[in-house]
């Protein structure tokens, strides 16, 4: 849709050219959300495309994802064979309610900054110990993904701050994983998306719950817990009234599938359950 209150588009090519932030400004990434509904409060867009950040970089510390990396670029990437968790990348990229047009324009950073409960890049980054690099006025700061996402459409970004990069550390990329996702319709927006990971070094287990809760929840255990211990921890950390309620799923149903998926993931990583196809 046309945003008919916009009077200017800035196209910086480097950090020094970023305009001084003013009320009415918005960063423009893929534009898939920005152009999907009226934005009467906006007068200027600051397009991030010409900053030309390398989309994906691999080094011996892990994976570095530019905020402007497109979902389609991430999905097409080939990762080292020792990165057992790499399968999560494709699973999460394919968990959008999205046409190919969205897929080829939407960015990883845009998905995080939207902070929707069903943000699959949020799930990926939260499950793999991701942390964000944020450009502040003249400096930068770092936050874990779980601290970055505060609630539905609420991130920790202050006015004028720019998400620059998401880093996934090597140790997380080497973890074994199990993934479960459900939506009300086959290609619908996720109502629950859960990821379990297990360390190949010390057996520690982490369950990440997204989409069924307003913000990502991470539960860490020294080892794979018993079914009862996992259920109790989930019930303690996500009480019945804290499940997310919107048109994509009733809270009671989201709770039911969350508890079921948690047990399936636990059992799969313990080697006693079937792998999802
Ligand atoms: C049909 C349709 C289906 C969708 N399905 C889903 C879905 O299943 N799950 C989901 O989570 N979302 C979904 N969305 C919402 C949206 O398209 C995605 O979240 C997408 O990833 C946003 O990325 P973008 O690059 O297009 O962001 P944009 O639309 O460009 O920006 C989104 C917001 O983030 C801000 N922003 C973008 N990049 C940065 C940055 N680097 N630093 C600071 N702020 C920034 C923008 O100013 C804006 O407020 C859908 C949208 C549509 C239209």
């Amino acid at each position: 849709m046309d945003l008919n209150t916009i009077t200017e588009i800035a196209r910086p090519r480097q950090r020094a050219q970023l305009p001084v932030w003013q009320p009415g400004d918005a960063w423009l990434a893929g534009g898939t959300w920005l152009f999907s509904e009226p934005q009467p409060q906006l007068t200027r867009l600051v397009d991030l495309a010409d900053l030309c950040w390398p989309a994906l970089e691999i080094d011996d510390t892990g994976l570095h994802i530019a905020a402007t990396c497109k979902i389609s670029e991430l999905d097409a990437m080939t990762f080292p064979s020792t990165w057992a968790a790499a399968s999560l990348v494709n699973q999460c990229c394919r968990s959008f309610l999205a046409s190919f047009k969205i897929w080829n324009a939407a960015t990883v950073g845009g998905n995080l900054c939207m902070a929707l409960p069903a943000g699959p890049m949020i799930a990926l980054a939260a499950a793999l110990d991701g942390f964000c690099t944020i450009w502040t006025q003249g400096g930068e700061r770092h936050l874990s993904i779980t601290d970055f996402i505060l609630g539905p459409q609420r991130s920790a970004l202050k006015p004028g701050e720019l998400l620059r990069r998401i880093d996934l550390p090597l140790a997380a990329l080497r973890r074994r994983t199990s993934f479960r996702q459900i939506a009300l319709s086959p290609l619908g927006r996720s109502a629950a998306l859960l990821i379990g990971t297990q360390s190949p070094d010390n057996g520690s287990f982490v369950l990440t719950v997204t989409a069924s809760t307003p913000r990502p929840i991470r539960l860490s255990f020294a080892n794979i817990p018993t079914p009862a211990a996992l259920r109790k921890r989930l019930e303690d950390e996500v009480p019945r009234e804290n499940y997310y309620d919107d048109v994509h799923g009733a809270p009671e149903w989201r709770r039911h599938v969350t508890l079921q998926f948690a047990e399936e993931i636990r059992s799969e990583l313990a080697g006693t359950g079937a792998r999802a196809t």
Side-chain angles (χ1 to χ4, degrees):
M1 97 166 25
D2 289 343
L3 300 181
N4 58 12
T5 53
I6 300 295
T7 55
E8 187 186 348
I9 299 185
R11 293 199 167 85
R13 299 172 70 90
Q14 49 188 291
R15 186 169 184 179
Q17 294 175 353
L18 292 176
V20 175
W21 193 258
Q22 58 192 36
D25 281 353
W27 305 112
L28 169 63
T32 60
W33 176 80
L34 268 179
F35 289 103
S36 74
E37 51 185 77
Q39 312 283 356
Q41 75 288 6
L42 297 185
T43 50
R44 179 170 67 170
L45 298 178
V46 183
D47 192 344
L48 304 178
D50 289 350
L51 289 163
C52 294
W53 296 329
L56 293 156
E57 295 173 290
I58 292 177
D59 63 20
D60 53 13
T61 66
L63 176 64
H64 312 288
I65 309 172
T68 46
C69 173
K70 294 187 175 19
I71 307 301
S72 54
E73 291 175 304
L74 181 61
D75 187 65
M77 183 73 173
T78 305
F79 298 105
S81 57
T82 50
W83 290 11
S87 57
L88 281 182
V89 169
N90 302 112
Q91 288 168 315
C92 289
C93 287
R94 285 153 200 273
S95 295
F96 272 89
L97 159 68
S99 68
F100 76 93
K101 283 191 273 187
I102 301 263
W103 227 55
N104 284 292
T107 65
V108 175
N111 192 246
L112 263 70
C113 294
M114 281 301 302
L116 294 171
M121 297 300 104
I122 297 172
L124 175 72
L128 295 182
D129 302 347
F131 59 96
C132 306
T133 297
I134 297 165
W135 280 1
T136 59
Q137 292 294 327
E140 63 179 43
R141 63 187 181 110
H142 303 273
L143 279 182
S144 71
I145 299 297
T146 40
D147 288 335
F148 183 79
I149 306 293
L150 303 180
Q153 293 193 248
R154 225 159 44 83
S155 78
L157 288 175
K158 300 185 186 124
E161 287 188 334
L162 176 63
L163 177 61
R164 166 63 184 87
R165 196 175 71 233
I166 302 98
D167 296 310
L168 305 182
L170 182 62
L173 290 158
R174 291 179 53 248
R175 294 172 75 92
R176 298 173 60 225
T177 66
S178 172
F179 171 95
R180 295 290 187 283
Q181 181 257 0
I182 195 165
L184 279 175
S185 57
L187 295 174
R189 186 169 285 189
S190 299
L193 194 168
L194 276 73
I195 295 170
T197 68
Q198 189 189 25
S199 165
D201 303 320
N202 60 14
S204 63
F205 171 78
V206 180
L207 180 73
T208 303
V209 179
T210 64
S212 58
T213 50
R215 55 188 296 273
I217 306 287
R218 272 173 57 101
L219 308 179
S220 302
F221 299 82
N223 296 295
I224 300 229
T226 62
L230 179 60
R231 188 179 175 103
K232 170 147 190 357
R233 182 83 178 273
L234 249 179
E235 286 177 342
D236 288 349
E237 304 242 359
V238 193
R240 201 173 276 269
E241 63 276 13
N242 283 15
Y243 281 88
Y244 193 53
D245 187 6
D246 73 354
V247 293
H248 302 288
E252 226 5 74
W253 173 65
R254 290 186 198 250
R255 176 175 181 271
H256 173 79
V257 290
T258 298
L259 290 168
Q260 179 178 326
F261 285 169
E263 172 47 26
E264 286 179 14
I265 286 170
R266 187 207 67 78
S267 142
E268 184 180 315
L269 289 176
T272 55
R275 213 165 223 293
T277 52

